[in-house]
Amino acid sequence: MIQEKRITLKNLGKINPESIDDYINEGGYKAFEKAVGLHHIEIIDEMVKSSLRGRGGAGFSAGLKEKFTSEACLRCEQKYLICNADEGEPGTFKDRIIMENDPHLMLEGMLIAAYAIGASKAYVYIRGEYYKSIDRINKAISAAKEKGIIGKNVFGSAFSVDVEIKLGAGSYLCGEELTLLESLEGKRGYPRIKPPFPAEKGLNGKPTLINNVETLATIPAIIYNGPEWYTSLGTEDSPGTKIFTISGDINNPGYFEVEMGVTLRQLIYELGGGIKDGKKFYAAILGGAAGTFVNESVLDTPMGFDTLKEKGAVLGSGAIMVMSEGRSLFDITNSILEFFKHESCGKCVPCRIGMPQLLHIMENLKNNKIGRVEALDLLLYESEFMAKSSLCPLGQSPILPIKSLKQYFENEF
Amino acid sequence: MERSEVLKQFKPDHENMLNILHALQNNNSQNYLSEEDLKIAASYLNTTYSHIYGVATYYTMFSLKPRGKYIIRVCNSPVCNMENSTKVIEEIKKNLSIEVGETTDDMRFTLELSECLGKCEEAPGMMINEDVVGNLDNVDFKSIFDNYN
Ligand SMILES: Cc1cc2nc3c(=O)[nH]c(=O)nc-3n(C[C@H](O)[C@H](O)[C@H](O)COP(=O)(O)O)c2cc1C
Ligand code: SF4
Ligand code: FES
C-alpha cells in the first residue's frame, strides 16, 4: 500500500496556518536563514542539482530558470520574483491547499528564490476568487514583516526584500506567465510574444522569475536538507514529490502528495479508494483541460514528466479526472472545448476562429451530420492547425486532449 | 467609504490596477464598477478612461452594471459539468426566477457562471460571494439561499 510523502504539505493539519510562531516552531524560516548566509550562487547550484522541475505544468528546471534570471544582468536596479498563484486549470486545486494550510512555506520559498536571483521585490499574483488563500497570505506577509523576516537586512544580512499580493480578476489565461505580466502591469490580459523570456525582460521590462506555488513551496526543504536528499525521492527524470488532485468518479476525491513514479492505479485504488459505485475504470484525464486522455493501458505507468510523455500523455498540473464506465467522452470533450472557447482572449485569428470551429465539428457530430471517425479527424486537423499558428499556448492546447482521444479512444469517441 | 479613502490604501501604481478595481467594486453598494468608479480610478492612476474601461471589461470578476448583494458563481468547468452542473444551474434559475447574468428584483442575488473554482473534489460547486458551497447534487437551494439576507 502506497503511503503519502509530504514535503509541501508537511505542516498540513499540524499547525495553525495563521500563526507564524507555529510555523517557526516546526523549523520554519530556518532554510531562509541558512540561505542568506550562503552566496546566492551556492543556492542556485543546489537548486540545479536538485533537478526540481516546475510544478506549474511545463516541468522546466527550476534551478536553471533561477540561473538565467540571476545572470540576466549583474547590476540591474530591479529584478522581480513572482509567485504564480492564479490556479485555474480545471481539476487542479493543489496550490489552494498549500496556501490555505501553510502560507508561510510558500512565502519562505519565495524569499529564498528572491535572494537567489537578487530580487528586492516579490509579488504573489493570486486568482481573485481564492478569498481564503488571499486572507491567509495577507496575514502571513504581515506577520513575517513584523518579525523582520520580510524587510531590510533580513537575518542581519545585506539582503532586503518586500512582498506584495496582487489580485487576478477571473481569467484563466492570466496564469500563463507572459499574460500574467501584462495583467500585473495593469493591462488587459493579452499574451506577449516569446522571446524575450521573462528572465531577460519581464515585469516592467526587468528580469523576472515566475514560479508556481508548489515549486516555490518545495524550495525550503531542498535548501535545508540538500539536493541529494531531494533526488533520492521520486524518479530519475522527475525527482521529489508531487501533489496530485483527483476528482470525478472516485470514492475519495481530494489531494495526495506522493513521490513521483507513483502509478495511476495506486493513486486511484490505494489512495483514492477506488472507483465510485464499484464500477470499472474507463478513462482519466491527466493535467486538466490542457491535458490528455488515457485508458487503462496507462494505469501502471510510473508518473513523471518524461515517462508520461513517452505515452503521449502529460503530467501537467497533477490534475487527474477519473471517469468510470458509462461516461461519455463526447460530453467531457465538449465541456473542455467550451472551456477553451470561453477563455480564448481573441487576440489572434487561429484561436479566435478555431475554438468555435472545434465546437461546430462537435455539434455536427451530435446531429449525425458527420461520422465519428470523420469528426475526430477534423478535430485533429483543426487543432493541429491551431497549435502551429496560434500566438500563445492556450490556442496550442486543444490538440492535447484531441490527439490523446485519437490515440486511446479512436473507436469509442 | 468615500472613494478617495478607498484609493488612499494603494500607491498610484499601475501594478495596483486590479487591486484598486476590486476595492472600488467591493465598496460600491451595488457590487459593480460605476462610471464614476472608473473615472476616479483613471485619474488616480493618471491614465485614460478608455484604458480603465478596457481593463474592467476584460476580467470576468468585474461588472459594469449593478448586481445583487450576493453573487452566485456556479462552476461549469469539466469536472462539475461531468457531475451535472447543468442541472444545478437550471434549479437555481428556477429557484430565483432569473436567467444567468440577471439579478433578482429584490437585488439580493446575481447569477453568474464561472470556470473551475478549485473545489473539484466537491463537484458540482458554486460560490456565494466569498463562500464556497460544494456537493450540490441533491441540495435544497432555497434553504441555502435563505442564509443570505
Ligand atoms: C493558459 C495557461 C494558464 C496557466 N495557468 C497557470 C497557473 O494558474 N499557475 C501556474 O503556476 N502556471 C500556469 N501556467 C504555466 C505558466 O505559464 C508558467 O509556465 C509557470 O507559472 C512556471 O512556473 P514553474 O516553472 O514553477 O512551473 C499556465 C500556462 C498557460 C498556457
Ligand atoms: S492563442 Fe488564443 S488565447 Fe492565445 S493570444 Fe491567441 S486568441 Fe488569445
Ligand atoms: S471543475 Fe468545478 S470546481 Fe473545478
Side-chain angles (χ1 to χ4, degrees):
Chain A
M1 173 95 182
I2 185 150
Q3 298 290 325
E4 276 197 68
K5 168 83 189 168
R6 291 186 167 180
I7 295 177
T8 57
L9 301 180
K10 71 175 164 52
N11 290 328
L12 188 141
K14 292 192 192 147
I15 64 169
N16 171 358
E18 299 192 355
S19 160
I20 189 169
D21 291 327
D22 270 19
Y23 180 70
I24 290 172
N25 285 337
E26 290 295 323
Y29 289 116
K30 282 246 165 59
F32 182 40
E33 187 172 4
K34 179 178 172 189
V36 293
L38 298 171
H39 194 278
H40 77 272
I41 291 178
E42 290 178 88
I43 308 283
I44 293 173
D45 277 348
E46 301 267 276
M47 288 305 298
V48 172
K49 274 195 212 135
S50 79
S51 310
L52 170 64
R53 300 178 67 165
R55 299 309 196 227
F60 192 78
S61 158
L64 285 181
K65 225 153 86 172
E66 284 185 1
K67 190 162 184 275
F68 298 149
T69 322
S70 152
E71 291 169 352
C73 60
L74 287 173
R75 304 225 180 287
C76 311
E77 73 231 61
Q78 185 71 63
K79 282 185 198 174
Y80 297 101
L81 179 275
I82 296 171
C83 169
N84 188 344
D86 197 43
E87 188 162 74
E89 188 65 55
T92 311
F93 45 98
K94 69 199 175 67
D95 296 341
R96 171 175 68 77
I97 301 292
I98 295 176
M99 293 187 285
E100 286 182 1
N101 293 288
D102 203 2
H104 284 287
L105 184 68
M106 179 192 96
L107 215 50
E108 183 170 8
M110 288 177 67
L111 293 169
I112 297 170
Y115 174 70
I117 62 166
S120 57
K121 192 108 209 173
Y123 293 122
V124 184
Y125 183 90
I126 185 167
R127 65 177 297 186
E129 298 94 338
Y130 270 7
Y131 294 101
K132 193 163 168 193
S133 298
I134 293 168
D135 183 49
R136 292 264 150 99
I137 290 167
N138 266 327
K139 285 179 176 145
I141 292 173
S142 303
K145 278 186 179 164
E146 234 165 70
K147 291 244 188 242
I149 292 169
I150 294 173
K152 289 208 158 54
N153 302 106
V154 286
F155 294 115
S157 72
F159 180 58
S160 300
V161 64
D162 187 33
V163 183
E164 279 182 59
I165 189 163
K166 304 285 175 189
L167 307 185
S171 155
Y172 166 69
L173 182 55
C174 285
E176 191 278 323
E177 54 188 20
L178 292 151
T179 317
L180 187 156
L181 295 173
E182 288 286 296
S183 176
L184 203 44
E185 289 176 8
K187 299 182 218 155
R188 288 166 74 93
Y190 287 145
R192 292 181 185 173
I193 291 171
K194 236 196 283 207
F197 288 90
E200 306 157 57
K201 278 194 167 48
L203 186 62
N204 303 322
K206 303 289 191 298
T208 304
L209 174 64
I210 305 166
N211 273 134
N212 171 256
V213 172
E214 189 187 358
T215 311
L216 291 163
T218 308
I219 296 178
I222 292 176
I223 294 306
Y224 191 74
N225 300 311
E228 292 77 19
W229 164 79
Y230 191 70
T231 50
S232 74
L233 304 167
T235 65
E236 200 159 328
D237 83 56
S238 308
T241 60
K242 173 89 195 79
I243 307 177
F244 292 94
T245 51
I246 311 186
S247 56
D249 296 326
I250 184 142
N251 283 320
N252 309 322
Y255 52 86
F256 304 100
E257 182 173 11
V258 284
E259 284 186 52
M260 289 276 204
V262 63
T263 65
L264 198 52
R265 188 186 299 281
Q266 288 171 315
L267 283 165
I268 294 175
Y269 290 96
E270 298 184 18
L271 296 170
I275 306 286
K276 248 200 299 211
D277 304 326
K279 286 196 184 162
K280 257 181 66 187
F281 171 85
Y282 178 46
I285 305 172
L286 308 181
T292 45
F293 287 89
V294 295
N295 66 11
E296 78 278 345
S297 73
V298 178
L299 279 176
D300 294 308
T301 305
M303 307 270 270
F305 287 102
D306 298 345
T307 40
L308 286 173
K309 201 170 167 194
E310 281 162 23
K311 296 269 177 187
V314 296
L315 182 77
S317 60
I320 300 175
M321 304 183 222
V322 179
M323 300 163 73
S324 62
E325 57 185 349
R327 284 287 185 185
S328 148
L329 292 169
F330 177 92
D331 288 350
I332 189 114
T333 306
N334 206 62
S335 174
I336 288 173
L337 295 176
E338 286 280 0
F339 169 78
F340 282 133
K341 181 179 148 217
H342 184 251
E343 297 301 320
S344 164
C345 78
K347 181 173 172 173
C348 71
V349 176
C351 172
R352 185 176 67 226
I353 309 273
M355 293 298 183
Q357 190 59 29
L358 292 173
L359 282 159
H360 186 64
I361 298 168
M362 295 294 280
E363 172 105 27
N364 280 343
L365 171 60
K366 193 175 171 184
N367 296 332
N368 291 322
K369 285 195 186 147
I370 48 176
R372 289 198 296 180
V373 178
E374 190 190 354
L376 197 51
D377 283 342
L378 279 171
L379 288 170
L380 203 57
Y381 174 80
E382 185 74 26
S383 58
E384 224 156 47
F385 182 81
M386 291 168 68
K388 283 188 194 139
S389 53
S390 290
L391 184 65
C392 90
L394 194 139
Q396 296 156 8
S397 294
I399 183 83
L400 289 167
I402 289 170
K403 212 170 163 181
S404 62
L405 273 176
K406 171 100 181 164
Q407 181 178 350
Y408 288 106
F409 295 98
E410 187 168 13
N411 300 317
E412 287 152 75
F413 175 64
Chain B
M1 216 193 284
E2 285 292 320
R3 289 191 179 90
S4 55
E5 290 290 307
V6 174
L7 292 171
K8 259 200 337 220
Q9 304 163 31
F10 305 94
K11 271 193 240 152
D13 243 340
H14 279 209
E15 285 167 17
N16 283 327
M17 170 82 73
L18 299 187
N19 284 11
I20 287 173
L21 293 180
H22 273 296
L24 287 170
Q25 177 165 279
N26 291 342
N27 186 58
N28 185 311
S29 60
Q30 290 185 304
N31 243 323
Y32 81 117
L33 290 165
S34 66
E35 197 174 323
E36 200 51 42
D37 286 322
L38 297 182
K39 274 186 184 152
I40 196 164
S43 92
Y44 190 68
L45 290 168
N46 200 14
T47 185
T48 57
Y49 178 79
S50 63
H51 176 189
I52 303 281
Y53 181 87
V55 172
T57 49
Y58 179 89
Y59 296 93
T60 54
M61 285 185 82
F62 300 132
S63 171
L64 295 198
K65 49 178 218 231
R67 290 186 293 184
K69 187 170 168 200
Y70 300 104
I71 317 272
I72 302 170
R73 300 188 169 92
V74 186
C75 174
N76 199 25
S77 278
V79 182
C80 290
N81 189 274
M82 192 164 100
E83 301 295 333
N84 233 341
S85 57
T86 321
K87 190 175 133 223
V88 170
I89 297 160
E90 287 311 315
E91 282 187 27
I92 297 179
K93 277 169 34 178
K94 221 165 49 193
N95 204 285
L96 299 176
S97 309
I98 49 174
E99 292 296 313
V100 172
E102 291 181 353
T103 301
T104 51
D105 289 338
D106 60 2
M107 292 305 280
R108 250 172 88 214
F109 295 106
T110 299
L111 176 61
E112 297 183 353
L113 296 187
S114 164
E115 296 304 346
C116 178
L117 297 166
K119 258 291 192 193
C120 330
E121 77 271 42
E122 293 178 11
M126 65 174 171
M127 293 186 81
I128 303 180
N129 280 3
E130 304 197 357
D131 302 338
V132 185
V133 196
N135 295 321
L136 299 175
D137 349 46
N138 277 313
V139 298
D140 173 14
F141 284 99
K142 188 173 176 310
S143 67
I144 295 180
F145 295 148
D146 281 348
N147 295 326
Y148 295 87
N149 289 304

